[in-house]
Amino acid sequence: MTVSTNGSTNGQVLAVKDLSVTFRTEDGRVSAVDNVSFDVADGEVLAVVGESGCGKSVTAMSIAGLLPRTATVGGSVRLDGTELIGADKRTLRSIRGREVAYIFQEPTTSLNPVFTVGHQISEVLRTHIGLNRQAAEARAIELLKLVGIPSAERRISDYPHQLSGGMRQRVMIAMAVACDPKVLIADEPTTALDVTIQAGILDVLRGLRERLGTSIVLITHDLGVVADLADRVAVMYAGRVVETAEVHEIFARPQHPYTVGLLGASPAAGRHAETHRLSEIPGLVPVLSEQPDACTFADRCSRAGETCTTSQPELTAGVHRVACWHPVREAVEV
Amino acid sequence: MMAVAEAIAPPRSNSRRVVRRVFRNPLALTGLAVLAIGVVLAVFANWLAPHDPTQTHLSNAFAPPGTAGYLLGTDDLGRDVLSRIMFGLRASLHVGLLAVAFSLVIGVPLGLIAGYFRTVDALISRFTDLVLAFPFLILAVGLAAIRGASLGNAAIAIGIAQIPGMIRIVRSETLRLKSLDFVAAAIVEGASDAWVLGRHILPNAGSAVIVQATVGIPAAILGEAVLSFLGLGIQPPAPSLGTMLADAQQFASRAPWAAVMPGVAIMLLTLAFNIVGDSLRDALDPKASRR
Amino acid sequence: MRRYLLNRLWQSLVTLVLATIVVFVGVRALPGDPALALAGEDRDPESLRAIRQQYGLDQSWLVQFWQFVSHAARGDLGQSIRTGAPVRSMILSALPVTIELSVLAILIAGVIGVGAGVVAAVRRGGPAEWAANALALLGLSVPHFWLGLMAILYLSVALGLFPASGFVPFFTNPVDNLHHLILPALILGTGLAAVIMRQTRSSMLDALSADYIRTAEAKGLPPKAVIGKHALRNSLIVVVTIVGLQLGALISGAVVTERIFALPGFGKLTVDAVFQRDYPVIQAVVLVTATAYIVINLLVDLLYSVIDPRIRVRGEA
């Protein structure tokens, strides 16, 4: 691997610091993301993992200001030194699709059904680079080839419904990398696809990183995808990052009890049932505002002690960082 | 026997909650109030109207609004505009309710059958196409020619014109409900078609039918006004808001009030119905109310 | 696509044949003997028979129907029993008035309705949405023939802004033609505009919350493209359906509008023919209306496939 996987070097493309997001709802303000910080180095793949509802998608959306008007975002997101939080709409628009691009979970609904895929790809090029129709179309064909779509010359005049799910996701990727963005944010890019197709999509993403040097923020709950693609992992729980480390570290020596649970490993005999219940029950992620002065995981944690319910742990410093009062230190059988 | 189907059937919209939602909406309340006033004026016109609506007083012709005894003025024959509007409202409501009842009686069963039994679906769809291909006015004109112009025939013509809409709504609701688990369960459990339609589909399609009917009434009222305006509805000297407008057209520059007032009356009545219909739809449909 | 079209064409044909039969039978169910009406004072059996023979009224219904259909297929719609004029030329002179009126009304309603609907959806919760909703509710509730009367009374007679009645053919004087038609078209379009506005608003709200709109925003497209292109194009599919369904109402509305503004159009021809029991004219008028309705609906279906590519392929499969 030629790129640095060390998040603390100076080659950061994306620096998220103390990011907080709250939503205005009928039941008052609800916090979704709380003081999240992470960096992404040039050419690095950072996986953000966690259960659904843990705030990983909200974090992703807030980077380029894609959240609805009901959201309030605080903290800082710097892209190559440019602050994005609080930037005006014009600036954000010029960055979206050009510097920061997105791939979403559901390629079927994420592509507009009434325009050809060629048109939808060309649109980005014409908006951001000012290519004319022919040039944009020629580039669109190149992009389709790049993401491995056969007979791209014919495919550009196809409508999304004429393509398979995997092909649609490839089109989404082609659209995202059209302007050679610095950061690609892939929000559950393989979740909606058949297992046999997932591998192909991951290959495409890996190829892009190697060929274009694009940094990727990979939002997923699928640890197989993480192992396959990521350099570094940030584990999120209830709107906070609870552990971050290089990918082999996370798999070999997970320290946060939640991470351990996610990996489906048992830190000690006799806790098997407990951890299984944890990874199986969705929607138990607590609402943040309820527990300002406690570890949000305390209720579900088998290692919780008194400190855990009275004060909130901070991320430790270093390369392998964890926010836990009683981190797992013993070796884990994965 | 119908255990599974009963157990998984969705709870029907709670009528008390719907009523509460409607009553919490100030616009809906205003609509209801206007509607109530209109209904009272129409139903008790015999006692409330200050004058006989057909009594002519040529000496009082073209009295402007505010003239003693004639709050809204008089027409070319000296007839009291207010009294005529009150009786006209009666004709409007009469036709509105009759036409919608007619479209319900024919449209709901046909819609259920078309949605439930696919074999006759094509046949019924051709029928709705056919009715739609005849502009309602031609239908009404033909009916008036065959059976004579009258309020009842106008109501039937309007009712026929509203059948396709009713069929389509009920048909699509039936199609939707039929694919749901609880109906499928009832069918698997061996329930008869009549039972499934009556017990499961019709009650759940009810709110869509109610909304369609509330939209149908003001449309029918406007239709009656059009027909009477063309001389195809109620026959003179009996007042209808449409005939009043047709008459007033002749002397509109001399007595504009005689042309303005009946139109305002129709508009308020249909507006009230439409507002109530809208709020009812929003209250029945949780998805719509969020908008 | 071809199979889909053929299927639609076949359905339309069935509807058209049914419509023709219904009209033919319906007209003959009208009370009153046209021969008696034609004969006027001269009611001796000899002249009645002559009249019946001349108009083919002495033949069986089956023969009369066949004659009607075979002649109609050749463009011969018979002669008016009242005036003796060829029905074909009566229709040809009335049709352009109604077509122009309706097209203008649809254009006006489309521009106002789609515009207001988009604004209401985008400025959701603001005063603009409130105003658009209120206008739509009014447009649905106001009797448009009354609105026409008011317009004549206050805009034409009192202010003299528009001619109160009459018609000038487009090719005689286009400016005068539009001056005469703009007010009737506006009046005729009010109801349609209200319906289009409501439909546009609700389908725009659906479209704006769709995933592909998030994609368009993630691509950094300007709001003009996100709303005016990606969302609107999808919303229009539903709007076109609604316009198709409203055609019957539009034709009925045209009859009344023509009567109020004294336009020599198709509506006037229809009402006159029915009141005068002019069989051939009624038959022809209904046939033309039904045909027009069916053809326009077919065109609406074709329009879908232009707007919505998914339909194109369903036919190919």
Side-chain angles (χ1 to χ4, degrees):
Chain A
M1 206 166 290
T2 53
V3 287
S4 158
T5 55
N6 191 339
S8 54
T9 56
N10 287 331
Q12 297 161 359
V13 179
L14 187 70
V16 174
K17 199 157 169 40
D18 299 332
L19 183 76
S20 294
V21 181
T22 57
F23 286 95
R24 207 172 54 236
T25 69
E26 285 165 17
D27 312 318
R29 279 198 170 277
V30 173
S31 175
V33 172
D34 185 34
N35 271 314
V36 163
S37 302
F38 57 81
D39 301 323
V40 184
D42 201 9
E44 185 184 42
V45 177
L46 173 75
V48 179
V49 299
E51 290 169 283
S52 52
C54 72
K56 56 192 195 302
S57 282
V58 173
T59 304
M61 294 301 151
S62 62
I63 290 173
L66 282 179
L67 291 174
R69 268 181 292 176
T70 50
T72 312
V73 184
S76 156
V77 172
R78 282 179 176 272
L79 179 78
D80 252 1
T82 313
E83 179 60 54
L84 299 187
I85 302 297
D88 63 283
K89 283 183 182 170
R90 244 185 117 80
T91 314
L92 282 176
R93 265 209 308 278
S94 68
I95 283 169
R96 288 203 289 255
R98 164 131 218 185
E99 318 261 327
V100 178
Y102 283 84
I103 303 167
F104 299 109
Q105 175 173 348
E106 206 32 272
T108 308
T109 52
S110 294
L111 287 168
N112 195 325
V114 301
F115 297 106
T116 63
V117 297
H119 181 99
Q120 295 186 58
I121 298 171
S122 305
E123 205 175 26
V124 195
L125 297 161
R126 296 174 70 182
T127 305
H128 290 298
I129 309 183
L131 294 186
N132 63 26
R133 191 182 294 267
Q134 286 90 345
E137 192 165 293
R139 176 86 180 112
I141 293 172
E142 279 174 35
L143 285 162
L144 287 182
K145 284 180 181 157
L146 182 72
V147 296
I149 290 186
S151 46
E153 290 84 356
R154 271 194 296 125
R155 285 301 182 187
I156 58 156
S157 44
D158 275 359
Y159 289 90
H161 67 267
Q162 291 167 292
L163 303 173
S164 68
M167 287 295 155
R168 284 181 207 147
Q169 194 61 301
R170 283 170 198 258
V171 169
M172 279 297 289
I173 297 172
M175 209 156 76
V177 299
C179 298
D180 198 359
K182 289 178 186 134
V183 179
L184 182 61
I185 297 171
D187 190 354
E188 304 271 11
T190 57
T191 308
L193 302 174
D194 286 347
V195 183
T196 47
I197 302 189
Q198 290 185 0
I201 297 294
L202 294 177
D203 279 343
V204 171
L205 289 175
R206 195 179 301 113
L208 285 175
R209 193 264 298 266
E210 273 154 24
R211 231 176 307 176
L212 307 174
T214 316
S215 305
I216 299 176
V217 177
L218 179 68
I219 313 286
T220 185
H221 66 272
D222 184 341
L223 294 165
V225 173
V226 174
D228 206 350
L229 200 62
D231 299 321
R232 213 150 48 82
V233 180
V235 180
M236 279 187 79
Y237 182 79
R240 290 179 188 143
V241 174
V242 293
E243 182 165 9
T244 162
E246 284 179 24
V247 65
H248 55 86
E249 265 288 308
I250 283 280
F251 281 100
R253 283 176 287 280
Q255 294 190 3
H256 198 286
Y258 176 68
T259 313
V260 175
L262 262 190
L263 292 172
S266 44
R271 298 245 168 78
H272 218 105
E274 202 76 14
T275 49
H276 256 275
R277 197 181 66 95
L278 174 94
S279 42
E280 274 167 13
I281 299 183
L284 269 181
V285 185
V287 177
L288 254 171
S289 51
E290 284 171 3
Q291 293 154 304
D293 292 319
C295 171
T296 43
F297 189 60
D299 290 348
R300 296 167 80 187
C301 185
S302 54
R303 302 170 70 90
E306 203 173 316
T307 346
C308 303
T309 54
T310 52
S311 74
Q312 183 190 323
E314 297 289 325
L315 272 177
T316 54
V319 180
H320 189 153
R321 309 170 69 187
V322 61
C324 181
W325 294 120
H326 307 291
V328 182
R329 296 293 183 208
E330 56 264 49
V332 176
E333 23 159 327
V334 180
Chain B
M1 176 191 148
M2 311 297 171
V4 176
E6 297 291 337
I8 60 179
R12 262 167 243 138
S13 29
N14 180 337
S15 55
R16 207 183 295 168
R17 201 186 61 221
V18 169
V19 169
R20 197 179 335 124
R21 275 204 208 152
V22 170
F23 272 89
R24 254 193 225 146
N25 177 351
L27 193 64
L29 278 181
T30 317
L32 275 175
V34 172
L35 212 55
I37 294 172
V39 170
V40 167
L41 287 182
V43 171
F44 301 104
N46 286 12
W47 293 279
L48 294 175
H51 296 273
D52 179 338
T54 54
Q55 184 67 52
T56 57
H57 296 280
L58 289 177
S59 55
N60 287 341
F62 299 127
T67 309
Y70 300 105
L71 192 60
L72 298 182
T74 63
D75 64 8
D76 56 334
L77 301 175
R79 294 175 297 194
D80 180 37
V81 171
L82 177 61
S83 306
R84 287 179 72 72
I85 285 180
M86 287 162 76
F87 280 90
L89 283 176
R90 178 185 280 191
S92 293
L93 286 171
H94 183 118
V95 170
L97 295 176
L98 208 62
V100 169
F102 191 80
S103 76
L104 279 174
V105 167
I106 296 183
V108 171
L110 283 181
L112 286 175
I113 292 169
Y116 195 78
F117 304 102
R118 297 318 302 269
T119 41
V120 285
D121 187 17
L123 193 72
I124 294 176
S125 292
R126 282 294 79 68
F127 167 74
T128 49
D129 279 359
L130 188 64
V131 176
L132 281 174
F134 282 95
F136 133 78
L137 211 62
I138 291 192
L139 204 82
V141 162
L143 207 64
I146 296 171
R147 301 178 36 119
S150 75
L151 210 56
N153 288 335
I156 292 176
I158 296 166
I160 291 176
Q162 291 195 349
I163 290 175
M166 193 60 82
I167 291 181
R168 285 188 176 184
I169 293 282
V170 177
R171 176 178 171 274
S172 71
E173 276 293 287
T174 309
L175 280 176
R176 183 180 68 83
L177 291 165
K178 210 174 108 183
S179 68
L180 296 185
D181 289 343
F182 75 99
V183 176
I187 295 171
V188 170
E189 282 170 14
S192 70
D193 293 334
W195 170 270
V196 173
L197 280 171
R199 180 73 184 78
H200 290 301
I201 294 184
L202 189 57
N204 283 296
S207 56
V209 171
I210 290 172
V211 169
Q212 179 71 12
T214 4
V215 179
I217 295 173
I221 289 174
L222 288 178
E224 186 276 334
V226 167
L227 290 184
S228 295
F229 180 75
L230 293 174
L232 295 168
I234 202 166
Q235 291 307 297
S240 136
L241 298 172
T243 46
M244 288 176 73
L245 285 174
D247 292 347
Q249 193 184 6
Q250 317 304 323
F251 50 84
S253 7
R254 181 136 183 232
W257 57 87
V260 173
M261 298 305 172
V264 172
I266 299 174
M267 193 176 71
L268 285 179
L269 190 63
T270 49
L271 192 60
F273 264 114
N274 280 328
I275 288 173
V276 172
D278 277 7
S279 6
L280 202 58
R281 187 188 52 205
D282 290 354
L284 283 167
D285 178 8
K287 195 170 146 234
S289 65
R290 262 192 280 122
R291 284 177 186 168
Chain C
M1 182 66 190
R2 189 189 291 156
R3 228 180 85 190
Y4 170 72
L5 255 189
L6 283 177
N7 191 26
R8 282 290 292 122
L9 215 58
W10 165 245
Q11 287 176 2
S12 306
L13 213 64
V14 172
T15 314
L16 190 59
V17 170
L18 283 175
T20 316
I21 295 172
V22 170
V23 170
F24 184 82
V25 175
V27 164
R28 269 140 194 89
L30 293 180
D33 184 340
L36 274 178
L38 276 172
E41 295 303 305
D42 183 20
R43 291 196 172 185
D44 62 286
E46 196 51 41
S47 46
L48 277 181
R49 193 164 25 188
I51 288 167
R52 291 210 170 94
Q53 202 171 0
Q54 188 193 338
Y55 290 98
L57 295 170
D58 54 343
Q59 308 279 352
S60 74
W61 278 23
L62 214 60
V63 175
Q64 287 188 38
F65 182 68
W66 171 245
Q67 279 179 342
F68 169 61
V69 170
S70 58
H71 283 110
R74 274 178 278 140
D76 173 11
L77 295 168
Q79 293 164 348
S80 161
I81 299 184
R82 288 286 158 177
T83 63
V87 176
R88 188 185 136 108
S89 64
M90 290 169 80
I91 287 179
L92 283 182
S93 74
L95 215 46
V97 181
T98 307
I99 290 177
E100 201 192 336
L101 178 66
S102 309
V103 168
L104 266 181
I106 291 176
L107 281 180
I108 293 173
V111 170
I112 297 177
V114 170
V118 168
V119 169
V122 173
R123 299 253 176 275
R124 190 177 158 195
E129 188 198 10
W130 192 88
N133 282 340
L135 269 179
L137 207 52
L138 268 178
L140 282 182
S141 305
V142 70
H144 69 260
F145 64 98
W146 174 73
L147 206 62
L149 271 177
M150 293 297 107
I152 292 177
L153 200 56
Y154 292 105
L155 297 182
S156 301
V157 177
L159 297 176
L161 292 178
F162 298 96
S165 67
F167 178 76
V168 176
F170 183 79
F171 293 107
T172 312
N173 184 342
V175 176
D176 230 19
N177 165 279
L178 282 179
H179 197 204
H180 275 89
L181 277 182
I182 198 78
L183 199 55
L186 196 64
I187 300 293
L188 180 57
T190 44
L192 189 61
V195 174
I196 292 179
M197 180 267 156
R198 292 187 142 204
Q199 191 56 56
T200 307
R201 173 180 164 274
S202 95
S203 48
M204 270 302 272
L205 283 177
D206 280 343
L208 285 173
S209 62
D211 282 352
Y212 55 79
I213 290 301
R214 184 182 58 181
T215 307
E217 273 173 352
K219 278 155 82 173
L221 301 183
K224 201 172 62 184
V226 175
I227 294 162
K229 190 170 140 192
H230 283 266
L232 189 59
R233 181 81 173 261
N234 280 279
S235 315
L236 283 184
I237 297 168
V238 195
V239 174
V240 167
T241 322
I242 294 299
V243 174
L245 286 175
Q246 289 291 315
L247 279 173
L250 194 75
I251 294 173
S252 298
V255 173
V256 185
T257 311
E258 283 172 16
R259 195 170 169 104
I260 294 170
F261 289 91
L263 297 172
F266 207 65
K268 191 175 175 301
L269 191 68
T270 310
V271 178
D272 290 351
V274 172
F275 280 124
Q276 297 170 354
R277 306 229 186 295
D278 203 338
Y279 281 7
V281 179
I282 302 177
Q283 273 175 174
V285 156
V286 178
L287 197 64
V288 169
T289 318
T291 311
Y293 185 84
I294 289 162
V295 167
I296 293 171
N297 266 298
L298 206 61
L299 289 179
V300 167
D301 266 14
L302 284 181
L303 198 57
Y304 284 155
S305 60
V306 174
I307 304 177
D308 188 352
R310 282 164 297 188
I311 290 174
R312 257 177 264 167
V313 178
R314 204 179 303 151
E316 282 165 16

